[in-house]
Amino acid sequence: VPHLPLIRTKIAVQAVLSCVILACASEGGIMATKDYLEGLSNSPTDALLIGSAAVWSGLAVNAVAPFLQVGGQQIVGASRAQVIYASQPLWASILSFA
């Protein structure tokens, strides 16, 4: 499976679902979300911080990491990939102390 179209589709679906969930799950529904977004125009610092977090989450976490993961899985092979996945709790515990 070519990984670039797969990643593009994943990013698009996540973006659409995130916007829908944000609008529907907020306390006041879609109108409260609209009011909140309009309020950000009055506070450029808050808009910059929220925008930076959204871009970081969108690019680094949801675009670059899966792209590298799918490409790496095609190169590494199934048995080595399983060893890497099985060692994830070990790496998580090591990095939690850093």
Side-chain angles (χ1 to χ4, degrees):
V1 174
H3 57 278
L4 193 54
L6 179 67
I7 296 300
R8 278 192 216 136
T9 304
K10 176 186 181 287
I11 293 168
V13 169
Q14 280 183 328
V16 169
L17 288 176
S18 296
C19 291
V20 169
I21 289 171
L22 173 68
C24 294
S26 63
E27 191 172 313
I30 294 173
M31 293 307 294
T33 302
K34 180 180 171 273
D35 293 340
Y36 176 74
L37 292 175
E38 287 175 356
L40 283 179
S41 63
N42 297 331
S43 176
T45 304
D46 289 346
L48 179 64
L49 288 173
I50 293 171
S52 300
V55 167
W56 171 258
S57 177
L59 289 178
V61 176
N62 291 318
V64 175
F67 180 75
L68 294 174
Q69 179 182 359
V70 170
Q73 284 176 314
Q74 292 177 349
I75 295 170
V76 170
S79 61
R80 286 189 178 202
Q82 182 58 39
V83 171
I84 293 169
Y85 289 138
S87 68
Q88 190 273 336
L90 172 68
W91 293 109
S93 63
I94 290 171
L95 292 175
S96 70
F97 287 110

